[in-house]
Structure formats: C-alpha cells, structure tokens
C-alpha cells in the first residue's frame, strides 16, 4: 500500500488540562534535574560549561497549567495517522505532537508503551504533562512547556528514494511545528514512512532566527514497556548516574552497586542513566524483551546523547506509575536521545544558525541468548549488528541528506491542525523568513491581540483583550472580573513596553518583563505604579512575590503576607474568575503560615467555595494550617479521611514532610511518592 496520512479521532479516558493559571510564574517551578553548585567542579570541561549555561529564571512567558483534576471521562482526541505496509503511526497534534502509538503490522506489536488514559500530572516545566509514547522535549531542562499544547500540522512532500528501493517515490510526510517560547526558537518535526519500510523516519530542525546566540535543549523521550526480562542496550561502557539527590556520578555499565542496571527493574528508586557514547560510534539505543524483540532508535551523529530513565521498584516509583495511568496496566521505562550528554546541559546555537538531524524508530529482533548473555560487550555488538542488517548506518545518513532537500518545502492543502498564535506574532514583530514552517497571521487570537496593538500602535490596551470588565464596574470590582493578558518578556517586547504610555496594564507587564530580565528593583517600581493606578490582584501579588524574595525574611515576609492578603481581598468579588481566586489562595496560605499567621491562612482558605476546598491541594493546605495551629489530631484526621493532590510536583516531598509533623508512623502507601531514599 502507498504511504497515507489521514485525520481520525482517538477516544480515551482523559482528564481535561483545564484553564491556565493567570498569575505569571515569576519563579521557576521546582525542577529536580539540577546540580548543587559544588558538583560542577568534578565534571568534564564541556559538560560543566553547558550545565551552567543559561539556566531558566522562570518559565515566562508561558503560563502554568495546574487546572486539571483526576476526574477522567471519555474524550475524543484529534489524531493524525501515518501508515504504510509495515507501520501505523498515531500522532496527537493537540498534545505536543506526541507519537501515541507505533504499531508494527507484521508482528502485531505496539513498539511503544501507550498509556491507556490521558492523565495530566505536574512534570512539565509549566505543570501539565502525561506519560507514554514519544515526546519531543525542547526548551530547557525538564519536560517541555508544549507537553499538553497544540502544534501546527500539515502535509508536505516526503523525500524520494529513502525506502527499500532507492528509486521509491517520496509520498506524504507529516510536518509538526511551533514557536518554542522559553528560548524563542521555531522548530519542526517531520515524520515519514518510506515505501515498505519497517522504520519511521523523523527529521528535526531547531532554528535561531535572532542576532544573538540562544541556548538549545532537545531530548526525544521514548516510553517502552518495562517487563521483568527487558534489557536496554546501548554502545557504552560508562554512564552518568543521576538520581534525585541532585548528584551526577560516573559509573560503569552495566554492573554497579551489586545490580545489572541495564535491566530497568533492577533500580530501587527513580534514576537517570546518561550514557557516555564514543564520538565515532553509531548513535542508537534499544529496549529488548526476554525474547530479544523490541524497539530500537538510532540517529545521525548530532543527536549524541542517550539515556535510560527508570521508576525503580521501590514504593515511590510504583506509586507514581499507578498515578500516571490505570493500576494494573503495566509499567514503563524511557529510552531517550538528546543533543548533549546529559539533560542538565544547554547547547549554544549561534545567530542565524540551526541544528538538524534525523532519527529512525523501528522493530529489532535479536538472539535472546546473546541479548541476555553475561558478556555486555558481546550483547551490544550483537544488537548493533542486527540493527545494521535492518537499517544500515549509511541508509540513515542518506535519508538525512534526502530530507534536507525537503525541509524547506511549504505545506500543502492547508493546516491539518493549528498550534498557537504566538509564532505569528513573533514573525510580525521580527519579520523572520522561516521557509517550510509558516506562522499564518490568522492564527493570532485574543491572547495576541493586545500585543499586536502594542506592536502596531505603540500602546498596550488598558482593558486586556483576554477578558473584559463587567460594564459599568469600577475600582477593585472591575479588576476582579477579568484576568491579565499573558505577559511577553523578551528584550524586544520589553523595549516596546518601555516606550509605551504608562498605564496599569502597561506597567504591570513591564514589571514582569523587567523581573524576568533580572532587574528586580525596576520591576518593583513598575508594579508600584501599576497598583497606584489600579490595585489589581495580579499586580499586588507580583509585589508580594518580590517581598518574599527579600534576603532579609524578617522584613520581607511580613510585607509579603500583607500584600498577599491585599491581593486576595482585591479579588473578593462574586464576579471574580474562580481560577484567579484559587491561584491566589494556593500561594497565599503557605506564605501566611511561614509568617506565623495561621488564623489568617485559615480565613483565606475559607474564602474558597466548599466544593473547591474538598480538592486534594486544599485539603493538604488545611492539614498544614491545622498543624500550625497545634491541632495535629485534626490534621491527622484529614490524612486518614484520604485525599489526592492532583498537581503534586515531581520530586515534591510535601506529603511526607507534613505527615512527619503529625506522627512517627510510616508514611501510608497512598501518600508515598518519594523519589529518593529518606
């Protein structure tokens, strides 16, 4: 059959991502993949430089996605299916362009771990993420902010001559693209199936259209089934071991600390293994089961890094696996491929330059006795020879060269799916020429409209286009009936804000951009001007965040508490959006407790509707308030009654810490999400 590309609907039990948090994320969410400063001194020079290169100050200009629950219902998801005689590839363009499944027809096997549900969890840089399939991670250390966001998608001509027959016609290719906003880098992912091929080809390009160097991060994360007999093979003798103690250690492969770490179930706690692959070696990684069958991923040499992530067989890892899917559906590990040796690094990309490479995904069948033999070197040599038979290294290099001739091809027949309007706004501002990845003006919507007015008219509208005030309302009530437009923080947008006439919205957004640039004193002055003109909850809250960061807590913390109380009060209106009030309360309660004001923390918590207070996040806050009030028995009753914190952060130990304040008893299994030894 010829290669086809079609749209379809995939029905899954899914929890909606929910509304974005309207408060700008001035501080980064806790990212577990960071090193203590002293650890860098022992690293190789290149790695040490890249570990310290341009870490995120925040996830601005993105917003945090924390409005989901664990209430799932059948949902119809738009899917794109690419198919030839051997493979059927299902892609979800509305969820980061993730490959949901990779079905190998001759064997009837799904080569990936495919999650039977779509359950957001707090693993992405900006919150919502879900497990399974193949995800494209771009931006900065961690899971991309696009994990649960739509990408643009369209048909383009596929390269010719990349199948089993050199003269094979190219057929259709699926192009996914977006504007990655943390680093302002447009990127594309091209997927195609050559005629009669067992392998999916994926061409990736990341571009820097600016006059400055930008930091780039890329990892392709591939979820694979974690069966008892599964072994991960890779051409390496050493690996950089990173666990959640935030240390990076160089250890041998595969045996270390009494266990063969090439078998994912051998680890007790979640851990990363970043393999040290020789520069001249072919870049590949495979996950093979007890019968010697499974998935192999290989690439051109630019994608140098390979990694294994495991959840471990300990209680915390098992609990996370249950949390991310349906209990009893089997576990998974991740094999990954990236631009650097580790995921703690960012790689510089010069002005006007690009990174481009080709990946291939397909089945691998090997001799199980060789795969699982005691000789590690023999096992990986055997796997590599089977890969060379199935897909020669020269064929991958040739496919890359053929794809480069199609990378600029313009989409045909309109969009199959639409991403955001932010790329179109950036193209309008910068005048960038990005052949192959158009960002049509018509994709701009309400979120982009005030910024387009700033760009074209030199002023920022003082009633945000994302939500209008109630007609006739004034003062605090008017402010509380809307949420602020998303902020833009790049140098170019900051310059435009600085030249615009002063006003409460203009000064608020200018303060956010100045804060992001590291000019905190100017940010505070801008927010103070904004509050003087209109005491909006979001500007008051920004001042509260600044106070809480004061290096003298005895001064800053009381001021922060007062400002958070003022922000909550400013949002006290029956017309105030629930998402705004909930976001303010979630932030205010911990600060009030830190300031020694449990009674006010309780008052703030009780401003929420009763049904909202029953959600797990607010039950946890109630338990913490009770502990602060000395009511440990009542706090224990909250735990005994049971609750689930929908947006528990990866690596967050708040459940265990709160429990330890109540009792010396072991942490109950349902609350045990610990990712490191106690």
């Amino acid at each position: 059959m010829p290669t086809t590309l079609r749209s379809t609907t995939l029905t899954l039990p899914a929890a909606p991502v929910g509304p974005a948090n309207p408060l700008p994320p001035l501080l980064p969410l806790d990212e577990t993949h960071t090193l203590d400063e002293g650890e860098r001194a022992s690293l190789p020079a290149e790695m040490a430089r890249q570990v310290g290169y341009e870490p995120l100050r925040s996830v601005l200009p993105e917003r945090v996605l924390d409005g989901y629950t664990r209430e799932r219902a059948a949902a119809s998801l738009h899917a794109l299916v690419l198919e030839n005689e051997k493979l059927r590839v299902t892609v979800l363009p509305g969820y980061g362009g993730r490959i949901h499944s990779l079905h190998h027809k001759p064997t009837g096997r799904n080569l990936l771990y495919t999650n039977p549900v779509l359950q957001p969890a707090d693993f992405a840089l900006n919150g919502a993420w879900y497990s399974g399939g193949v995800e494209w991670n771009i931006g900065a250390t961690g899971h991309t902010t696009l994990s649960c966001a739509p990408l643009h998608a369209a048909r383009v001509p596929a390269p010719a001559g990349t199948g089993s027959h050199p003269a094979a016609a190219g057929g259709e290719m699926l192009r996914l693209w977006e504007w990655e906003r943390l680093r302002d880098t447009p990127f594309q992912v091209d997927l195609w199936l050559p005629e009669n091929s067992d392998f999916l080809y994926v061409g990736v390009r990341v571009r820097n259209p600016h006059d400055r160097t930008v930091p780039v991060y890329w990892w392709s994360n591939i979820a694979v089934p974690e069966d008892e007999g599964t072994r991960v093979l890779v051409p390496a003798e050493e690996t950089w071991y990173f666990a959640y103690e935030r240390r990076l250690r160089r250890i041998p492969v595969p045996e270390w600390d009494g266990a063969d770490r090439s078998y994912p179930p051998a680890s007790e706690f979640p851990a990363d293994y970043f393999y040290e692959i020789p520069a001249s070696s072919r870049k590949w990684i495979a996950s093979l089961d007890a019968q010697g069958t499974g998935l192999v991923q290989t690439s051109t040499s630019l994608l140098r890094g390979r990694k294994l992530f495991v959840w471990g067989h300990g209680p915390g890892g098992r609990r996370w696996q249950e949390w991310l899917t349906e209990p009893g559906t089997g576990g998974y590990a991740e094999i990954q491929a990236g631009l650097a040796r580790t995921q703690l690094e960012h790689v510089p990309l010069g002005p006007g330059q690009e990174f481009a490479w080709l990946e291939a995904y397909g089945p691998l069948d090997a001799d199980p006795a060789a795969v699982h033999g005691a000789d590690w070197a023999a096992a990986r040599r055997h796997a590599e020879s089977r890969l060379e038979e199935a897909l020669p290294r020269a064929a991958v290099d040739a496919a890359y060269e053929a794809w480069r001739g199609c990378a600029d091809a313009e989409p045909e027949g309109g969009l199959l799916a639409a991403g955001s309007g932010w790329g179109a706004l950036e193209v309008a501002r910068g005048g960038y020429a990005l052949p192959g990845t158009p960002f049509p003006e018509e994709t701009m919507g309400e979120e982009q409209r005030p910024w387009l007015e700033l760009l074209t008219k030199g002023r920022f509208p003082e009633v945000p286009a994302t939500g209008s005030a109630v007609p006739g309302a004034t003062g605090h009530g008017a402010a509380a009936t809307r949420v602020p437009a998303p902020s833009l923080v790049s140098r170019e947008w900051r310059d435009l804000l600085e030249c615009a006439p002063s006003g409460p919205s203009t000064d608020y957004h200018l303060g956010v951009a100045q804060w992001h640039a590291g000019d905190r004193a100017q940010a505070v002055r801008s927010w103070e001007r904004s509050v003087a003109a209109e005491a909006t909850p979001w500007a008051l809250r920004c001042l509260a965040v600044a106070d809480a960061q004061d290096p003298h807590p005895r001064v800053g913390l009381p001021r922060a508490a007062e400002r958070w109380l003022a922000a909550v009060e400013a949002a006290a209106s029956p017309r105030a959006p629930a998402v705004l009030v909930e976001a303010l309360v979630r932030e205010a309660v911990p600060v009030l407790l830190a300031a020694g004001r449990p009674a006010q923390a309780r008052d703030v918590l009780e401003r929420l509707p009763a049904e909202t207070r029953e959600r797990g996040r607010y039950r946890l806050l109630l338990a913490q308030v009770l502990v602060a009030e000395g009511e440990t028995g009542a706090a224990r009753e909250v735990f005994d009654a049971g609750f689930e914190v929908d947006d528990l952060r990866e690596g967050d130990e708040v459940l265990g810490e709160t429990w330890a304040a109540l009792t010396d008893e072991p942490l109950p299994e349902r609350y045990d999400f610990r990712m490191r030894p106690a």
Side-chain angles (χ1 to χ4, degrees):
M1 62 177 288
T3 299
T4 61
L5 173 60
R6 58 186 170 87
S7 292
T8 189
T9 297
L10 183 67
T11 301
L12 285 178
V17 174
N21 189 317
L23 302 177
L26 300 177
L27 305 174
L29 299 187
D30 184 37
E31 172 50 50
T32 56
H33 291 83
T34 57
L35 279 184
D36 293 333
E37 188 63 30
E39 292 285 318
R40 287 176 53 198
S42 61
L43 300 179
E46 180 194 42
M47 187 186 295
R49 283 196 305 272
Q50 294 183 165
V51 166
Y53 174 51
E54 293 290 337
L56 283 186
R57 296 189 183 95
S58 74
V59 295
L60 286 166
E62 293 284 4
R63 283 181 159 178
V64 172
L65 299 176
D66 56 10
Y68 52 85
T69 69
R70 293 185 57 77
E71 297 176 3
R72 297 192 288 264
S76 296
L77 308 179
H78 178 214
L80 298 170
V81 177
L82 190 66
E83 188 168 10
N84 71 356
E85 302 94 329
K86 301 290 186 66
L87 288 173
R88 182 167 61 250
V89 187
T90 303
V91 175
L92 299 179
Y95 288 84
R98 186 174 303 208
I99 298 178
H100 177 71
S101 62
L102 183 59
H103 179 76
H104 187 238
K105 296 179 182 180
T107 60
R109 299 199 312 260
N110 181 11
L111 302 178
L112 304 173
Y113 167 78
T114 295
N115 198 331
V117 305
L118 199 158
Q119 176 57 62
D122 194 359
F123 279 67
L125 288 166
N126 64 332
W129 167 89
Y130 65 102
S131 64
V134 181
E135 58 176 313
W136 317 113
N137 281 299
I138 181 172
T141 294
H143 291 279
T144 177
T145 60
L146 297 167
S147 293
C148 291
L151 303 190
H152 299 290
R155 302 172 193 269
V156 291
T162 54
S164 55
H165 306 291
E172 294 183 318
M173 179 163 66
L174 170 60
R175 174 162 297 161
L176 305 163
W177 73 98
E178 246 302 356
W179 190 281
E180 199 287 315
R181 301 176 66 211
L182 296 183
R183 307 301 197 180
D184 274 333
T185 47
F187 71 98
Q188 71 190 73
V189 179
D190 290 350
L191 301 93
W192 81 99
L193 292 170
E195 182 183 347
N196 203 38
S197 173
D198 287 291
F199 281 82
L200 168 69
Y201 288 167
V202 181
V204 182
R205 175 165 63 169
V206 180
R207 291 192 264 200
N208 176 11
H210 308 291
D211 59 0
R212 61 183 184 276
T213 299
V214 298
V216 171
Y217 172 94
W218 183 280
W219 282 81
S220 301
N221 288 14
I222 309 145
V224 291
E226 184 193 64
D227 300 320
E228 193 63 35
T230 296
R231 192 177 204 189
V232 172
L233 298 173
V234 64
E237 296 282 356
E238 294 181 306
T239 184
W240 292 91
Y241 170 76
F242 182 85
Y244 287 77
E245 300 96 338
R246 304 192 177 189
R247 293 180 58 202
L248 197 60
R249 285 178 281 176
R250 198 168 185 161
I251 64 171
V253 176
E255 297 276 347
W256 179 68
D257 198 23
D260 186 335
R261 306 288 168 160
S262 63
Y263 290 90
S267 295
E268 181 179 3
F269 288 94
D272 298 329
Y273 299 89
F274 299 106
Y275 296 104
E276 189 71 42
I277 299 177
S280 60
S281 294
R282 184 176 185 178
K283 305 303 184 286
W284 63 273
I285 188 168
S287 174
L288 304 178
D289 62 19
Q291 289 72 47
T293 63
L295 173 81
V296 64
Q297 187 269 4
T298 186
S299 72
T300 47
S301 294
L302 183 66
L303 203 68
R304 64 180 289 191
R306 291 299 184 276
K307 170 192 162 183
L308 166 65
F309 167 76
V310 298
W311 284 106
H313 62 259
R318 292 198 309 270
R319 185 71 179 102
W320 271 119
Q321 295 236 43
E322 293 173 354
W323 186 257
L324 296 172
T325 185
E326 291 283 6
T329 55
Y332 75 96
E334 287 185 359
I335 55 175
Q336 305 180 12
L339 280 175
R341 276 185 287 193
T342 75
Q343 288 175 336
L344 287 73
E345 302 169 69
H346 301 121
V347 183
L349 179 61
Q353 301 299 306
E354 65 183 40
F355 288 138
W357 64 90
L358 183 117
E359 305 179 41
Y361 297 78
L364 191 67
D365 295 306
D367 179 356
V371 168
H372 300 287
D375 188 333
W376 167 252
R380 70 173 199 262
R381 281 197 304 269
H382 172 72
E384 186 160 351
S385 68
R386 295 293 292 134
L387 170 60
E388 187 65 20
E389 293 172 18
L391 184 66
R393 184 177 186 177
V396 173
D397 292 337
Y400 170 75
E401 294 301 329
W403 167 70
R404 291 294 288 161
C406 300
D408 286 348
E410 294 299 329
E412 299 178 339
L415 295 177
L416 297 172
S420 76
W422 295 114
L425 181 68
E426 293 297 337
V427 168
R429 185 199 56 75
Y432 304 118
L434 299 168
T437 55
F439 292 93
E441 183 179 343
E442 57 268 24
T443 60
M444 283 192 274
E446 290 297 312
E447 290 188 329
Q448 291 79 40
R449 190 157 291 129
W451 296 98
L452 187 61
E453 183 169 334
L454 173 65
L455 179 65
T456 57
K457 298 180 181 179
R459 64 174 184 269
F460 194 92
E462 285 305 323
V463 176
T466 50
S468 300
V470 172
T474 58
H476 293 341
T481 60
R482 62 181 192 263
V483 297
S487 295
L488 295 182
V489 295
S490 70
R491 179 189 65 196
E492 295 82 1
W493 288 110
R494 189 172 73 249
D495 289 346
L496 288 171
L497 286 167
E498 287 174 345
C499 295
S502 180
S505 292
T506 305
D507 291 330
Y508 160 74
H509 288 293
L510 176 58
V512 174
Q514 290 166 332
W515 179 275
H516 182 262
D519 194 347
R520 296 191 169 186
Q522 285 289 1
V524 168
R525 283 191 279 274
S526 295
W527 290 328
E528 287 174 340
R529 287 196 308 272
S530 178
V531 167
E534 183 181 11
T536 60
W538 41 90
L540 286 164
R541 174 266 184 179
C542 286
L543 288 170
V545 172
D547 287 333
Q549 296 298 302
D550 191 301
H552 306 288
R554 290 186 179 180
V555 176
L557 202 53
R559 285 204 314 260
E562 289 297 331
R563 284 240 169 86
W564 251 296
L565 287 171
V568 172
E569 185 62 36
S573 163
R575 297 183 299 271
V579 65
L580 172 64
V581 178
E582 290 175 21
L584 289 168
V585 169
R586 284 178 49 166
E587 292 187 348
V589 169
V591 172
L592 290 167
L593 292 178
R597 302 184 182 190
Q600 290 175 314
R602 177 185 284 277
D603 289 343
V604 165
L605 192 58
E606 289 179 352
R607 287 177 178 267
L608 297 173
E611 62 272 18
T612 302
R613 294 200 304 272
E614 288 303 310
R615 288 177 51 187
R617 172 60 64 179
Y618 303 104
R619 297 294 290 169
L620 174 61
L621 289 175
L622 173 61
Q624 293 173 323
V625 168
L626 290 167
V627 170
E629 292 176 331
E631 300 289 342
T632 55
R636 174 65 183 265
E637 290 176 3
V638 174
F639 273 83
D640 290 344
F643 61 88
E644 292 182 324
V645 180
D646 302 330
D647 60 335
L648 185 68
R649 184 72 175 161
E650 175 191 15
D652 194 344
E653 298 177 349
V654 64
L655 289 170
E657 292 166 354
T658 307
W659 177 261
L662 306 177
T663 176
D664 293 330
E665 296 175 21
L667 183 64
E669 187 174 301
R670 68 177 299 175
Y671 300 118
D672 191 351
F673 292 88
R674 291 173 294 190
M675 303 182 81
R676 61 177 180 170

